[in-house]
Amino acid sequence: MKYNALKGVHDIFPPDIYIWQKVESAAEEVFSAYGFQEIRVPIIEATDIFTRSIGETTDIVEKEMYTFPDKAGRSITLRPEGTAPVVRSYIENHLYNQPSPQKFFYSGAMFRYERPQKGRFRQFYQIGAEAFGASEPKLDAEIIAMLKLFLERLELKELNFEINSIGCEKCRPDYKKALSDFFSNKISGLCPDCNRRYIHNPLRILDCKVDACIKLRKDAPQVTNHLCGDCKEHFEGFQALLKLLNISYVINPNMVRGLDYYTRTTFEVTSEHLGSQKAVAAGGRYDRLVEEFGGPPTPAIGFAIGMERLVEILRNQNSELYTGPKAFFATIGAKADTESFLIAEKLRAKGINVELGYGNASLKSQLRRADKLKAAYVFIIGDDELKSGRIKWKNLKDSSQGEIGIEEIPDFKGLN
RNA sequence: GUGAGCGUAGCUCAAUGGUCAGAGCAUUGGACUGUGGCUCCAAGGGCUGGGGGUUCAAGUCCCCUCGCUCACCCCA
């Protein structure tokens, strides 16, 4: 019987795992500098948490969620995204009673039942950040700056920052109507998908890739021209700060985010080094969501980074991240084997990476393995060495050799 | 859910319908009885994704199925 991993899920192991670890530690480091603290929320939640936040008619909710009844018949869903659970936690734990703004980051697996393709999987990982309790554009700009610093820390290049504002509950209905009016006499020219979009979410027509639709929407009203006074002021304030920070960006008025809860600022970071799924990170404001979830009115903003997409880029530009053991003990005979085992324990207790020979292998094959592992030093212990108490060491990089007293190994300069 | 491409050794790939399906790399061992890399030698490793059909003969042609990949939809 041969078992395979399920469609759209993947094992992560060396050498890729080193890239993942590098990304995770960079996130923790950079986000902490901005006052974000880690939060860990469950992978399963009540289904309502997602249907109500993401939107009943979005594709995620309609056909992509892993939803099932638990043994008591409750509807459970594997989280398809991270914002809703964090919002739930924020309210449930009364975190709004802490000084505002409260900032959190998280990292973990998300699940969406989709056909896999490059940069898209059924179980995928996101690093996300959410900040609650401040509506100023300063927070929006801070979030972008943090994302940029994080990406720079990883030496990612050739990334595009796109921003937009999709207004609030006051101005968006007007814009939606203007858009519907504009397309009302063009429906027959739109692709079948856009005909559906026209009914459910006319905003989506704006990012259709069909040529005919692109032509028809050329003179469509732009959301940035339909913002109310407050939203306009917010968007301009946001941009002014980005300019002060020397962050280059483009306004993409056609950028529509897929989740219903977004308000005002939305943004996306894309890379040309990916396939069709080129968004590495994306996010936006969701000033109404906390209140809709039964919390106090609380403006908020967040984003998520697609781990696999990030790793995909890093894999093609990163040098070797693996470092081998500092010491390798090659032994001849049972007594030497035991002796090396005891010395290794002492070194490991000091945090030194030590590897041992196994399985009665010949000295030659032990050295070969040490070389494959990229060990820095090999210590050779046989009967002669045990008798004299002088252990042979060899530097595998420059082939230099020498001897050292068995008791002095923990202080050997090459290991410390 | 829709469309296209591809499935041969751990990996990358060969093999006009015709001997026992091969090579390079990787793995293990040896040449070198206690010194890695380089070189040379050898070994292990395959239900050619699975099933059915055509044929004297199928890795190769046909059908079905499963899987992978890419794209659409949508999204990180």
Side-chain angles (χ1 to χ4, degrees), chain A residues 86-363:
Chain A
V86 172
V87 169
R88 193 226 79 228
S89 175
Y90 177 78
I91 297 166
E92 182 175 345
N93 296 299
H94 311 288
L95 299 174
Y96 45 78
N97 285 333
Q98 306 291 320
S100 288
Q102 284 285 303
K103 304 169 180 176
F104 300 102
F105 75 90
Y106 58 86
S107 148
M110 308 293 161
F111 302 84
R112 290 181 202 170
Y113 192 85
E114 303 180 87
R115 285 281 283 269
Q117 69 184 75
K118 192 178 179 71
R120 193 176 64 191
F121 312 97
R122 288 185 171 178
Q123 175 173 342
F124 59 103
Y125 291 76
Q126 291 186 336
I127 296 178
E130 317 286 347
F132 300 93
S135 59
E136 300 101 292
K138 186 165 78 178
L139 184 59
D140 304 46
E142 188 178 298
I143 287 262
I144 299 286
M146 179 169 93
L147 195 47
K148 182 163 182 271
L149 188 64
F150 165 71
L151 296 167
E152 280 172 357
R153 182 67 57 93
L154 295 170
E155 293 170 79
L156 266 92
K157 298 180 180 72
E158 296 167 58
L159 295 172
N160 312 306
F161 282 76
E162 295 181 14
I163 65 164
N164 193 21
S165 176
I166 58 171
C168 61
E169 73 278 10
K170 273 188 292 186
C171 44
R172 191 143 38 143
D174 293 343
Y175 175 62
K176 264 190 177 168
K177 183 165 187 317
L179 208 57
S180 293
D181 291 347
F182 174 80
F183 283 117
S184 61
N185 62 349
K186 301 180 177 62
I187 299 173
S188 58
L190 294 170
C191 73
D193 283 331
C194 282
N195 270 272
R196 275 192 295 111
R197 291 174 179 129
Y198 179 79
I199 297 163
H200 295 297
N201 191 353
L203 294 169
R204 291 231 149 272
I205 300 174
L206 294 176
D207 64 359
C208 180
K209 289 164 191 159
V210 176
D211 285 342
C213 302
I214 293 172
K215 278 194 190 113
L216 280 173
R217 72 167 181 243
K218 196 160 62 75
D219 300 315
Q222 297 202 336
V223 63
T224 42
N225 295 329
H226 283 72
L227 298 176
C228 66
D230 288 346
C231 286
K232 192 159 184 279
E233 192 184 326
H234 185 274
F235 194 41
E236 282 168 359
F238 171 47
Q239 289 182 64
L241 286 168
L242 291 183
K243 281 176 186 141
L244 280 176
L245 292 167
N246 272 322
I247 294 173
S248 49
Y249 63 90
V250 295
I251 298 175
N252 178 358
N254 293 337
M255 184 174 65
V256 181
R257 309 262 61 248
L259 291 70
D260 279 1
Y261 54 64
Y262 284 114
T263 55
R264 291 191 169 169
T265 307
T266 60
F267 57 90
E268 210 164 275
V269 184
T270 61
S271 164
E272 299 306 321
H273 297 287
L274 293 169
S276 172
Q277 313 301 324
K278 59 182 186 172
V280 175
R285 255 193 188 279
Y286 48 95
D287 289 342
R288 303 276 309 143
L289 187 59
V290 174
E291 190 177 357
E292 279 169 19
F293 258 47
T298 308
I301 181 169
F303 66 82
I305 298 159
M307 271 297 266
E308 286 84 353
R309 295 180 186 179
L310 201 55
V311 170
E312 170 77 20
I313 304 172
L314 289 169
R315 190 185 293 129
N316 297 328
Q317 70 170 50
N318 243 74
S319 49
E320 181 79 59
L321 292 170
Y322 166 83
T323 52
K326 276 270 176 57
F328 185 101
F329 283 87
T331 57
I332 302 138
K335 203 169 168 219
D337 192 58
T338 303
E339 192 63 33
S340 73
F341 186 63
L342 296 175
I343 301 169
E345 279 306 299
K346 283 184 194 156
L347 296 178
R348 287 164 169 169
K350 293 178 69 179
I352 298 168
N353 180 351
V354 179
E355 188 52 279
L356 302 169
Y358 291 95
N360 276 327
S362 67
L363 182 62

Side-chain angles (χ1 to χ4, degrees), chain A residues 6 12 24 49 88 165 173 186 218 293 327 364 412 416:
Chain A
L6 296 175
I12 306 151
E24 282 163 357
I49 301 252
R88 193 226 79 228
S165 176
K186 301 180 177 62
K218 196 160 62 75
F293 258 47
K364 177 197 225 17
F412 185 66
N416 295 289

Side-chain angles (χ1 to χ4, degrees), chain A residues 13-40:
Chain A
F13 49 90
D16 267 8
I17 196 71
Y18 294 108
I19 305 177
W20 283 67
Q21 289 171 347
K22 183 181 172 179
V23 169
E24 282 163 357
S25 59
E28 190 175 343
E29 219 172 283
V30 172
F31 294 0
S32 297
Y34 285 80
F36 284 72
Q37 296 178 290
E38 185 171 4
I39 184 170
R40 300 193 187 191

